[in-house]
Amino acid sequence: MRKLLTFCFILIAATALRAQDAKMNAFISNLMSKMTVDEKIGQLNLVTPGGAVTGSVVSKDVDGKIRQGNVGGLFGITGPEKVRQAQEIAVKNSRLHIPLLFGLDVIHGHKTVFPIPLGLSCSWDTALIKESARIAATEASADGLDWVFSPMVDIARDPRWGRVAEGAGEDPYLGSQIAAAMVRGYQGNDLTKTNAVMACVKHFALYGAAEAGREYNTVDMGRISMYQYYLPPYKAAIDAGAGSVMSSFNVIDGIPATGNKWLLTDLLRNQWKFKGLVVSDYTSLNEMTAHGMGDLKTVAALAMNAGLDMDMVGEGYLTTLKQSLKEGKVTQAQIDQACRRVLEAKYKLGLFTDPYRRMNAERAEKEILSDAHREFARRIAAHSFVLLKNNDHLLPLKKSGTIALIGPLASNHRNMLGTWAVSGDPEKSISVMEGIKNVAGDAVNIIYAKGANISDDSTLVKRTNVFGPEIEPETRTPEEMLQEAVAAAEKSDVVVAVLGEAADMTGESASRSDISIPESQENLLKALVKTGKPVVLVLFNGRPLTLEWENSHVGSILDAWFGGTEAGNAIADVLFGNYNPSGKLSMSFPVSVGQIPVYYNAKSTGRPWDGKESPKFKSDYLDIPNEPLYPFGYGLSYTSFSYSGLTLDRQQITPRQPVKIKLTVSNTGNDDGEETVQLYIRDMVASVTQPVKELKRFQKVFLKKGESRNIEFTLTTNDLKFVNSNLHWVYEPGEFKVFVGGNSRDVVEGDLVGKP
Ligand code: BGC
């Protein structure tokens, strides 16, 4: 009976969907029957009048072009009034009154800024992450936007690449869960709602695998790695209903993604059945010329033939496509198809019924940066921090005594939001100093000293400050600043050193070859440690850093990433124990740059090193270990957890018979706290070599001090599939290992046999 009811429900829903689609198709066909070729090509043109842009080109005479029907969408402007003015030009003054689509980079919140995505991913809390996207959508839509260029789901294993800050780290399973959560958060279940926005999954594809971590660099990867490790998060976002996809800057198999037919048509449309809109990245169409693919006309035709619908900023389509049509290099059907997809996006967003639906000054006033949003930002920021070290329970701090609060990021607003917070106002952010005062009040005495500049390297300072003075070098000498800090430390009970990267030392076009804390601050930290006072290091960083010295010399290290608008309050909540940190790394921290790439789901070699002895002819280094400093999944708590009693309800798994994995997790410390229980597997024998560990499930559990909880995971043979030589996901029966633990290194294990 229940099955019958479900079947009827699915049937009714499918029929309703078909009817809706038929209505949309009829509307668009009718509209397109009135459009000239120029107007159709105009819809494929996405322009920006400037603002926070990432390229040298910006569009000229935008208003005029809108009037002539030469613009399909606009990005870079916000605010209900500003957006309305542009929309009015399109709706009132263009021949067919087709509304514009308004997009923007809303990456980790809109005006209420949440932690950078890498930080968010360290919460491993998909419900919170989905809520952050929901709030971002609420604010962005009130501000006039229909479309957000997020989520960024590029798997990355190289922390030299600045854009690791924008993604969810190195793991395809965690990355996929987060990608889907974000899409659902942005889009809700009805795109016509005034507080829903269309997501744009990016950067399709493999952008995170740029060689040597150098921005925009070549990607060269075998198909099996692509399918198994890099593509799943894009696919997850698409399966969650993402309305659009952005092509990436890099090449794939020698062909730039923006002109890559295998990628944009064979894989995306034919294999994955993606029905939405594909937009290029910023001038990535034009950049195919520099890649060596031909002149603008040639590369625009290449993109059209590959399946790219919309051209961001470069106006390659606008200026060449008609000629290519005449010459038979592209077809009318291709242009029609691309135009239809742009119009469909507008239709689905409800813009043809009310083009002004997302421009609501009243809602903007009430909802943007509301108390509730700020409170949520504080909560999610605290969840994103990762406690990397905590000797002798130095943290949490007592709310009494004297704290030397030291460092260029300790009393700083400018850098709290992190990279890609284009709509965020740094002045509205809470500094660490303010946060400490808010949380500890007058009970603690704070002595503040800046101690050092973020960097004394004038080239780095200049390059970092392109969007404003994130690094503000002082006129005092480094020695004077350092002495003041040391004097403050000597008068205190504990030192809290707030150090790290400036916001734009991370993000796009911010690759670094040396990923340590800048030298000026290292010198400061060494001097502080030398005083013999207990030192808590609070780190701001948009990437894993090399922290070997810090790890062996500093008492406590709290990685706070860039926490967003409420960074300072959230940091203080954690420092004083109002929130017990629970973040877990989504990306390995290398011992040194020489280890990169170092990631947990690596493969065994034919000569694996057992980590104990150092014999000749094993896969190792002469001078550094193979293991990262802090592994994937790692993160401490003020309490401690133990894992025991791993059992499987059956030793054999079959396609019809899943297996339940059970164990007990206990809070063995002195505080209540949250643990992320992680389940990994290893396929011991397969037709394609498999990683030594792969994350398959995780669960967050909150345990009171002294409490134990039985945890249960269910695995099916679907979870044991891998990509074989024919590029099919397959399950091969055989021997498996199951591991459970609080990080990818420290686990308890069991055996499982896979049967046909
Ligand atoms: C970035 C994209 C971004 C676009 C528009 C590009 O440089 O790669 O992530 O969405 O600019 O701002």
Side-chain angles (χ1 to χ4, degrees):
M1 184 62 184
R2 223 160 110 190
K3 271 193 181 151
L4 188 71
L5 277 176
T6 321
F7 178 72
C8 291
F9 177 77
I10 293 174
L11 201 70
I12 294 169
T15 316
L17 219 64
R18 267 203 299 276
Q20 259 178 30
D21 277 358
K23 209 170 144 202
M24 173 174 80
N25 291 343
F27 175 87
I28 292 174
S29 297
N30 179 41
L31 177 58
M32 283 180 61
S33 70
K34 298 177 201 150
M35 292 172 81
T36 62
V37 177
D38 288 315
E39 283 165 336
K40 287 175 182 169
I41 294 173
Q43 286 302 308
L44 315 184
N45 194 26
L46 176 63
V47 303
T48 179
V53 292
T54 53
S56 53
V57 188
V58 292
S59 318
K60 303 211 176 60
D61 186 24
V62 172
D63 291 3
K65 284 190 180 127
I66 299 174
R67 262 185 220 104
Q68 286 154 26
N70 281 340
V71 177
L74 209 62
F75 82 98
I77 62 164
T78 48
E81 283 322 310
K82 243 183 168 174
V83 178
R84 180 178 290 272
Q85 276 167 21
Q87 190 68 301
E88 274 179 356
I89 304 176
V91 172
K92 295 189 177 154
N93 300 331
S94 72
R95 190 179 76 90
L96 290 170
H97 318 290
I98 300 175
L100 297 169
L101 197 56
F102 292 94
L104 192 74
D105 287 283
V106 175
I107 307 296
H108 45 116
H110 181 55
K111 292 199 170 160
T112 305
V113 178
F114 305 120
I116 54 165
L118 185 63
L120 288 177
S121 70
C122 291
S123 73
W124 293 51
D125 194 324
T126 50
L128 279 186
I129 292 172
K130 179 177 170 198
E131 184 59 19
S132 76
R134 182 87 294 281
I135 291 175
T138 305
E139 292 196 359
S141 60
D143 225 12
L145 302 169
D146 309 302
W147 188 19
V148 293
F149 301 148
S150 172
M152 189 282 217
V153 305
D154 305 318
I155 293 295
R157 295 169 171 176
D158 193 329
R160 289 172 296 183
W161 190 47
R163 297 194 87 170
V164 301
E166 287 179 58
E170 71 192 33
D171 182 62
Y173 178 75
L174 178 62
S176 297
Q177 304 290 313
I178 290 174
M182 290 188 78
V183 169
R184 295 195 178 106
Y186 287 133
Q187 297 194 164
N189 48 19
D190 178 1
L191 263 188
T192 62
K193 286 214 170 122
T194 52
N195 66 357
V197 292
M198 180 168 73
C200 184
V201 52
K202 71 187 188 185
H203 307 82
F204 194 59
L206 321 181
Y207 181 33
E211 282 181 354
R214 177 156 60 79
E215 186 61 291
Y216 314 127
N217 202 8
T218 302
V219 169
D220 192 5
M221 185 188 298
R223 289 273 158 109
I224 290 183
S225 288
M226 254 185 225
Y227 273 74
Q228 190 158 333
Y229 309 112
Y230 284 81
L231 293 177
Y234 307 103
K235 173 82 163 49
I238 287 161
D239 290 346
S244 66
V245 167
M246 185 185 293
S247 70
S248 55
F249 287 122
N250 53 283
V251 298
I252 292 165
D253 277 344
I255 302 174
T258 302
N260 193 315
K261 182 163 181 298
W262 171 78
L263 183 77
L264 300 185
T265 298
D266 300 351
L267 180 70
L268 183 64
R269 303 273 181 207
N270 299 342
Q271 280 187 42
W272 291 2
K273 311 285 174 224
F274 178 64
K275 302 264 184 296
L277 171 69
V278 180
V279 63
S280 76
D281 202 346
Y282 200 106
T283 60
S284 68
L285 187 153
N286 316 54
E287 290 166 23
M288 288 197 282
T289 299
H291 276 290
M293 306 298 290
D295 63 9
L296 187 59
K297 185 155 69 99
T298 308
V299 296
L302 186 70
M304 180 51 54
N305 282 305
L308 182 91
D309 302 316
M310 214 174 190
D311 171 11
M312 187 192 287
V313 178
E315 304 203 333
Y317 276 175
L318 191 75
T319 54
T320 70
L321 219 47
K322 201 171 170 191
Q323 184 60 27
S324 290
L325 179 64
K326 279 193 198 134
E327 293 169 12
K329 306 239 165 67
V330 300
T331 66
Q332 185 64 52
Q334 287 172 326
I335 295 175
D336 283 356
Q337 180 65 272
C339 173
R340 180 174 286 274
R341 290 197 187 115
V342 175
L343 296 174
E344 278 177 3
K346 295 179 179 181
Y347 185 97
K348 288 179 190 154
L349 283 158
L351 294 176
F352 286 109
T353 42
D354 178 7
Y356 307 103
R357 61 198 306 130
R358 293 187 185 80
M359 297 153 206
N360 187 333
E362 207 179 303
R363 199 155 78 71
E365 174 68 31
K366 199 166 108 210
E367 292 176 7
I368 289 177
L369 277 164
S370 68
D371 289 349
H373 289 181
R374 291 195 74 131
E375 206 177 294
F376 177 82
R378 179 170 180 167
R379 189 149 69 91
I380 198 166
H383 281 74
S384 75
F385 303 156
V386 183
L387 184 63
L388 297 174
K389 187 179 175 197
N390 195 21
N391 263 16
D392 304 327
H393 298 281
L394 176 54
L395 287 176
L397 299 175
K398 288 198 262 327
K399 287 183 190 157
S400 60
T402 299
I403 295 177
L405 181 62
I406 313 288
L409 291 154
S411 177
N412 184 301
H413 290 117
R414 181 87 211 182
N415 289 289
M416 296 299 100
L417 306 183
T419 185
W420 255 146
V422 291
S423 304
D425 178 356
E427 291 312 313
K428 300 238 159 60
S429 69
I430 307 289
S431 71
V432 179
M433 165 104 93
E434 288 160 346
I436 290 181
K437 285 185 178 158
N438 291 341
V439 169
D442 296 335
V444 296
N445 178 31
I446 301 172
I447 316 176
Y448 165 74
K450 182 169 165 184
N453 296 314
I454 293 179
S455 172
D456 287 331
D457 173 343
S458 57
T459 310
L460 184 68
V461 172
K462 194 163 151 228
R463 294 205 61 187
T464 302
N465 285 350
V466 280
F467 298 124
E470 289 179 7
I471 307 180
E472 292 181 282
E474 294 227 350
T475 47
R476 287 186 293 167
T477 64
E479 197 44 42
E480 283 169 319
M481 291 168 78
L482 198 118
Q483 271 168 16
E484 183 193 29
V486 167
E490 273 158 359
K491 280 185 247 150
S492 70
D493 301 307
V494 60
V495 177
V496 174
V498 191
L499 311 179
E501 300 183 290
D504 283 295
M505 281 168 68
T506 80
E508 185 168 352
S509 186
S511 296
R512 293 179 67 200
S513 70
D514 170 357
I515 55 169
S516 58
I517 297 174
E519 199 184 350
S520 54
Q521 298 181 71
E522 281 284 2
N523 293 340
L524 169 65
L525 187 62
K526 285 181 179 156
L528 293 172
V529 167
K530 219 168 145 198
T531 63
K533 296 285 178 177
V535 176
V536 175
L537 171 60
V538 176
L539 273 179
F540 278 72
N541 49 322
R543 54 161 58 84
L545 300 175
T546 47
L547 297 171
E548 219 191 359
W549 187 89
E550 292 77 357
N551 185 55
S552 40
H553 292 89
V554 176
S556 292
I557 307 177
L558 178 70
D559 196 328
W561 309 111
F562 290 93
T565 308
E566 288 286 325
N569 280 333
I571 288 170
D573 285 339
V574 170
L575 289 180
F576 292 100
N578 291 1
Y579 180 76
N580 182 356
S582 62
K584 299 279 189 176
L585 296 178
S586 61
M587 199 169 175
S588 311
F589 273 47
V591 164
S592 68
V593 170
Q595 260 188 346
I596 296 171
V598 61
Y599 49 95
Y600 88 96
N601 51 349
K603 296 194 169 181
S604 174
T605 64
R607 296 184 179 193
W609 180 53
D610 65 6
K612 291 178 199 120
E613 293 165 35
S614 305
K616 201 74 187 146
F617 308 122
K618 293 286 183 188
S619 179
D620 65 352
Y621 298 97
L622 288 179
D623 51 356
I624 49 169
N626 287 358
E627 293 302 317
L629 184 64
Y630 304 121
F632 175 81
Y634 171 86
L636 303 173
S637 161
Y638 294 153
T639 192
S640 50
F641 300 99
S642 77
Y643 288 69
S644 61
L646 179 76
T647 53
L648 278 63
D649 71 335
R650 42 180 45 251
Q651 292 312 313
Q652 297 189 345
I653 187 169
T654 74
R656 291 167 172 278
Q657 194 70 65
V659 67
K660 284 195 170 59
I661 294 140
K662 299 177 187 182
L663 78 155
T664 306
V665 180
S666 309
N667 181 339
T668 50
N670 287 319
D671 289 284
D672 302 345
E674 194 172 26
E675 171 70 324
T676 303
V677 184
Q678 304 158 35
L679 172 88
Y680 299 85
I681 64 137
R682 177 171 182 185
D683 189 341
M684 301 303 290
V685 180
S687 58
V688 171
T689 58
Q690 293 303 303
V692 293
K693 269 183 201 134
E694 272 185 297
L695 182 71
K696 289 294 167 182
R697 293 279 186 283
F698 59 88
Q699 254 182 62
K700 297 193 70 93
V701 275
F702 184 85
L703 296 176
K704 292 208 156 302
K705 160 182 166 183
E707 190 184 346
S708 290
R709 182 93 48 88
N710 296 330
I711 305 289
E712 190 178 297
F713 294 102
T714 304
L715 279 186
T716 72
T717 50
N718 276 337
D719 301 308
L720 306 180
K721 287 184 173 172
F722 64 86
V723 176
N724 73 2
S725 301
N726 299 321
L727 302 181
H728 294 139
W729 282 93
V730 292
Y731 160 64
E732 284 179 3
E735 218 186 301
F736 295 87
K737 286 239 179 274
V738 172
F739 311 92
V740 184
N743 65 66
S744 61
R745 182 188 59 200
D746 307 311
V747 290
V748 289
E749 64 177 77
D751 294 308
L752 174 66
V753 178
K755 291 280 179 186

